[in-house]
Amino acid sequence: MAPKVLCVAEKPSIAKSVAQHMSGGQFNTRQVAGTKYVKNYDFDYSFGPPWGRCTVTMTSVIGHINTLDFEQQYRKWNSCSPGQLFDAPTANYVVSDKKSIAQNIESQARYARALFIWTDCDREGEHIGTEIRELARRGNPSLEVKRARFSNIERAHVLRAAQQPVDVDERQANAVAARIELDLRIGAALTRLQTLSLQTMGPELAEQMLSYGSCQFPTLGFVVDRYFRVRNFVPETFWKIQVTLLRDGITVNFSWDRWHLFDRMAAVILYERCLLAKIARVIKVQDKPTSRWRPLPLTTLQMQQMATQYLRMDSQQAMSVAEHLYTRGFISYPRTETDQFDSGMDLRKLVEKQVPDSRWGQYAQGLLNGGFRQPRSGRNNDQAHPPIHPVAWVNPSTLPDENQRRLYEFVARHFLACCSEDAKGDQTTVEIRYGDELFHTSGLTVRQRNYLDVYPYHRWESTQQLPPFTVGEEFIPTEATLTTGQTAPPGYLTEPELLGLMEANGIGTDATMAEHIAKIKERQYVMTRGGSGRSGDDDDSGGGGGRGRGRGRGRGRGGGQRGGNQASTWRGGGGGGGGTTVFIPTTLGVALIQGYEEMGFETSLSKPFLRKEMELQMKAICAGTKHRQQVVHECLEQYRDVFVRTSQRIDVLKAVSPVCVKSA
């Protein structure tokens, strides 16, 4: 009798796809009792040595099976003081609605020789794999355990993963286990502290859960910080000299090398010197080739940023859609930090699969006919997954909604652009001396669009061609004017900007950033509004205001105002028209962040430093330089210290809360 191998995937859709590839479509299906989503697929497959030909049962879980929680006596909000949760005993429990899934794994493992884990190949997937292993070994303690390493569910890739199993990465699984415990203890302790302390401050807070998360609050802090930079901005007036020449029917505008001055008298004096000189002299003419670089291979973060900017999706929608495209076998695994393709990948074959498309198929054929270029390599490689790319062509009519069609199109176009030549052009720069001042102008002529023909998300257009100039020639400007303008405030935070800040400060992973953003919206700490990101009541008058951005009085959180009465009402919803969506903190969000900052701690809970340090500790576990319990102990002691000091100064937070209650 052939030995039995139990295969367990992370999702039902992956289980079905893998079963189809391994069985050649010849399998029997059994419904798992107690769940309508999970099925068992039975078939035969030859794994090669040492297992040979085996009877296979392929099944799945639906994400995490277990949840970590406090023991029963600590779960009620008033069962203990919040500070006790740093040390309260915990246990792993099978999630109540997944008990039938757990029982299925345990029973199927009883007569199996080996367990093959087919979870996603990232930290979270490794941890889910250990949960599956634990359940399976309850039914069969002697079970041999391997995991399949794969990054897409294209048939050849799946069969190769089945033939070349590896061991579960215990370090990555331990890093996730440490993070889960830290998030539970820290989040529960601080959530109970601030909720129980503030719920008596007014009816608006009586039923509101004021949750704290070590990623959630720094994310909110970024939004609040930008909000105050906008609201407290005081524009400053500047002056600049503009020089214009009309030649051969072309109006040439020369920009001042100083850009502008904030001293009116100094600007007037320099302007008058230019007028007295009357004649301008050409001191430099430079013609040189230039390029617009094709994009780097696609990472999760870049996909989210581009989706929010160009595809009318928020980051959470983009991840959900990408996950669906992945499980259907259309794109590679969508959670990756890698922006370089391995030299061994057959990228031309992937390009060839796009030839049937009516929109970019002809362009793909052109790449195969000699236009193909090896993609640029970025600096990041997570050693787990390649950059996001299409693994199969899909007819758009087979995709059920517009978001899936738009995101697949973006992934396909991005991949083809990566395999293309950079756009080429010629840049002409002319510099002149007028009086004692230097001015410059430039013109661009795009000669070869190359990747731009398939990638509409980048713009690079020819400017008006400059008339001929020669070094040493002199001319009288057609017009020289002294203009005035005002510096402009920064815009409210957009989602691409927020994702960038989170990535730069180590808040969350590429796969979880969208969840943290969604959480602060769900908790009504922020609202979203359509628009350009610019403050609606701050006018940028005068030319050249863009160059003055960032300078102005009252930047940051100063200005003598608490700011709570200027934020959006915290019960309100999003609104606004088109354009890039921006984040604006609610009054509640402002009050929470400002309350923690007014406590005056060197390490504020609203800043990213503690969470960034925690993420570095997780990487240390993955690298094997630190153990799980060591990291948990060190991080808990850091947060325990902040928790104790916060408890002692909770009146500061209470002093801020009446502002939010009154405004609401």
Side-chain angles (χ1 to χ4, degrees):
M1 183 176 179
K4 178 179 177 180
V5 172
L6 173 63
C7 295
V8 184
E10 187 172 329
K11 308 171 186 70
S13 57
I14 296 295
K16 184 176 181 179
S17 296
V18 172
Q20 286 176 328
H21 292 323
M22 293 179 67
S23 69
Q26 303 297 313
F27 57 81
N28 295 319
T29 303
R30 292 180 287 127
Q31 182 69 47
V32 174
T35 172
K36 63 179 180 179
Y37 299 109
V38 177
K39 295 178 175 63
N40 294 337
Y41 303 98
D42 299 319
F43 54 91
D44 293 334
Y45 181 76
S46 181
F47 286 93
W51 294 283
R53 189 160 189 84
C54 300
T55 298
V56 179
T57 294
M58 168 66 74
T59 189
S60 76
V61 293
I62 304 176
H64 283 281
I65 315 167
N66 294 340
T67 182
L68 182 71
D69 204 348
F70 298 108
E71 292 188 355
Q72 192 64 44
Q73 64 267 34
Y74 294 93
R75 292 186 191 177
K76 292 185 178 180
W77 279 65
N78 293 299
S79 60
C80 64
S81 66
Q84 289 180 261
L85 298 177
F86 282 96
D87 302 302
T90 60
N92 275 300
Y93 302 88
V94 174
V95 180
S96 59
D97 62 351
K98 296 183 179 180
K99 289 183 178 179
S100 59
I101 298 175
Q103 290 168 357
N104 180 57
I105 293 173
E106 188 174 339
S107 64
Q108 295 300 318
R110 287 197 182 104
Y111 306 104
R113 174 183 172 185
L115 168 68
F116 269 40
I117 295 168
W118 288 80
T119 54
D120 293 342
C121 294
D122 55 13
R123 279 192 208 170
E124 214 72 27
E126 297 296 335
H127 187 267
I128 295 172
T130 62
E131 294 178 0
I132 295 170
R133 180 180 62 190
E134 179 185 348
L135 288 170
R137 281 185 170 164
R138 289 179 189 173
N140 186 350
S142 62
L143 200 66
E144 186 174 357
V145 179
K146 291 290 183 179
R147 78 109 72 234
R149 184 161 294 281
F150 63 105
S151 59
N152 65 70
I153 53 171
E154 189 265 334
R155 182 175 184 275
H157 190 72
V158 165
L159 297 182
R160 185 163 55 249
Q163 295 288 332
Q164 301 172 2
V166 298
D167 293 327
V168 173
D169 191 328
E170 303 291 347
R171 292 174 178 175
Q172 290 200 55
N174 283 334
V176 174
R179 191 262 304 159
I180 289 173
E181 181 176 355
L182 289 169
D183 285 350
L184 171 66
R185 294 187 182 279
I186 295 166
L190 285 160
T191 295
R192 290 191 192 182
L193 173 67
Q194 63 188 21
T195 301
L196 294 173
S197 299
L198 298 180
Q199 66 182 188
T200 60
M201 302 304 295
E204 293 291 345
L205 297 179
E207 302 299 325
Q208 180 83 357
M209 184 174 76
L210 306 179
S211 67
Y212 174 87
S214 57
C215 286
Q216 185 186 137
F217 258 53
T219 302
L220 172 61
F222 293 136
V223 177
V224 173
D225 183 70
R226 179 65 69 85
Y227 166 78
F228 275 104
R229 286 179 58 195
V230 173
R231 287 301 183 182
N232 293 338
F233 187 90
V234 179
E236 290 189 87
T237 302
F238 61 80
W239 290 264
K240 68 176 184 176
I241 303 172
Q242 292 181 325
V243 175
T244 303
L245 174 68
L246 180 61
R247 173 178 288 186
D248 299 338
I250 300 173
T251 300
V252 183
N253 296 308
F254 290 89
S255 299
W256 194 13
D257 279 14
R258 297 180 190 266
W259 295 113
H260 53 238
L261 296 178
F262 292 94
D263 186 324
R264 180 181 179 278
M265 185 57 67
V268 169
I269 291 172
L270 296 176
Y271 173 62
E272 289 178 345
R273 288 178 181 176
C274 291
L275 296 181
L276 289 174
K278 295 185 179 179
I279 295 175
R281 181 182 179 86
V282 179
I283 60 173
K284 181 181 179 181
V285 177
Q286 183 181 54
D287 292 298
K288 65 176 183 179
T290 187
S291 299
R292 178 70 156 95
W293 288 355
R294 58 206 159 129
L296 284 168
L298 189 62
T299 65
T300 302
L301 177 63
Q302 187 185 10
M303 180 191 71
Q304 291 173 311
Q305 290 175 318
M306 295 291 282
T308 59
Q309 190 168 359
Y310 295 106
L311 306 182
R312 301 190 298 279
M313 289 183 240
D314 63 32
S315 56
Q316 191 174 41
Q317 285 177 310
M319 287 305 300
S320 176
V321 172
E323 183 75 23
H324 185 82
L325 293 173
Y326 161 67
T327 57
R328 294 191 64 186
F330 298 144
I331 67 173
S332 61
Y333 189 60
R335 296 186 177 96
T336 177
E337 298 175 6
T338 301
D339 56 6
Q340 50 188 254
F341 282 106
D342 187 274
S343 58
M345 285 188 68
D346 188 352
L347 301 182
R348 292 175 186 268
K349 184 177 180 181
L350 294 173
V351 171
E352 185 178 0
K353 291 182 178 182
Q354 297 299 317
V355 171
D357 196 274
S358 61
R359 295 158 294 176
W360 55 78
Q362 187 174 352
Y363 185 90
Q365 187 63 57
L367 295 182
L368 297 174
N369 292 342
F372 178 86
R373 297 292 182 271
Q374 188 66 24
R376 297 165 56 204
S377 289
R379 298 179 179 179
N380 304 301
N381 191 332
D382 60 17
Q383 303 298 322
H385 301 288
I388 302 168
H389 62 274
V391 296
W393 175 71
V394 54
N395 190 316
S397 63
T398 65
L399 296 175
D401 66 67
E402 187 60 29
N403 281 346
Q404 290 184 35
R405 290 189 284 271
R406 282 201 301 264
L407 189 63
Y408 179 82
E409 177 179 349
F410 168 72
V411 171
R413 288 183 179 275
H414 191 100
F415 173 70
L416 294 175
C418 288
C419 298
S420 304
E421 184 71 70
D422 296 335
K424 305 289 186 181
D426 295 319
Q427 181 89 37
T428 300
T429 303
V430 179
E431 296 181 8
I432 66 171
R433 184 184 299 277
Y434 186 32
D436 294 328
E437 298 305 301
L438 300 178
F439 299 81
H440 64 273
T441 190
S442 64
L444 170 68
T445 302
V446 177
R447 302 294 185 191
Q448 300 173 32
R449 287 181 52 80
N450 296 329
Y451 87 90
L452 293 172
D453 286 333
V454 77
Y455 200 68
Y457 316 102
H458 280 179
R459 293 182 61 85
W460 201 51
E461 304 288 347
S462 296
T463 61
Q464 187 176 35
Q465 190 171 1
L466 296 178
F469 288 92
T470 56
V471 175
E473 75 166 282
E474 297 180 340
F475 62 86
I476 298 176
T478 304
E479 185 178 32
T481 57
L482 182 66
T483 63
T484 185
Q486 284 191 320
T487 55
Y492 292 119
L493 207 59
T494 65
E495 191 155 2
E497 290 176 319
L498 180 54
L499 288 165
L501 285 170
M502 294 172 71
E503 193 272 339
N505 288 278
I507 303 303
T509 66
D510 53 2
T512 62
M513 290 178 190
E515 298 172 12
H516 303 315
I517 294 174
K519 183 62 69 175
I520 62 174
K521 292 193 287 186
E522 177 189 331
R523 295 296 185 218
Q524 300 179 2
Y525 294 162
V526 302
M527 61 175 282
T528 57
R529 187 179 76 187
S532 64
R534 294 291 299 277
S535 172
D537 55 2
D538 290 297
D539 179 44
D540 174 24
S541 57
R547 287 285 179 181
R549 292 183 67 171
R551 170 164 175 160
R553 298 187 302 278
R555 288 189 302 161
R557 302 205 178 154
Q561 297 184 30
R562 186 177 298 279
N565 59 338
Q566 295 176 329
S568 306
T569 301
W570 67 277
R571 289 284 184 186
T580 304
T581 298
V582 298
F583 291 95
I584 302 174
T586 62
T587 310
L588 176 61
V590 169
L592 289 172
I593 293 299
Q594 196 161 31
Y596 281 113
E597 293 214 348
E598 289 185 5
M599 290 181 184
F601 299 151
E602 182 179 348
T603 306
S604 172
L605 291 173
S606 65
K607 297 298 184 183
F609 310 120
L610 283 172
R611 181 65 198 203
K612 187 174 185 177
E613 175 63 26
M614 187 190 297
E615 183 56 33
L616 292 175
Q617 299 275 44
M618 298 303 111
K619 291 181 179 179
I621 296 176
C622 293
T625 57
K626 285 196 173 184
H627 297 292
R628 168 186 165 185
Q629 291 305 323
Q630 176 189 2
V631 167
V632 169
H633 174 73
E634 291 175 359
C635 290
L636 283 180
E637 289 307 304
Q638 281 184 309
Y639 275 93
R640 191 197 307 269
D641 179 61
V642 176
F643 175 88
V644 170
R645 289 184 289 143
T646 300
S647 302
Q648 293 168 347
R649 301 209 62 195
I650 197 68
D651 286 344
V652 176
L653 198 57
K654 289 182 177 181
V656 176
S657 62
V659 177
C660 86
V661 173
K662 183 178 179 180
S663 298

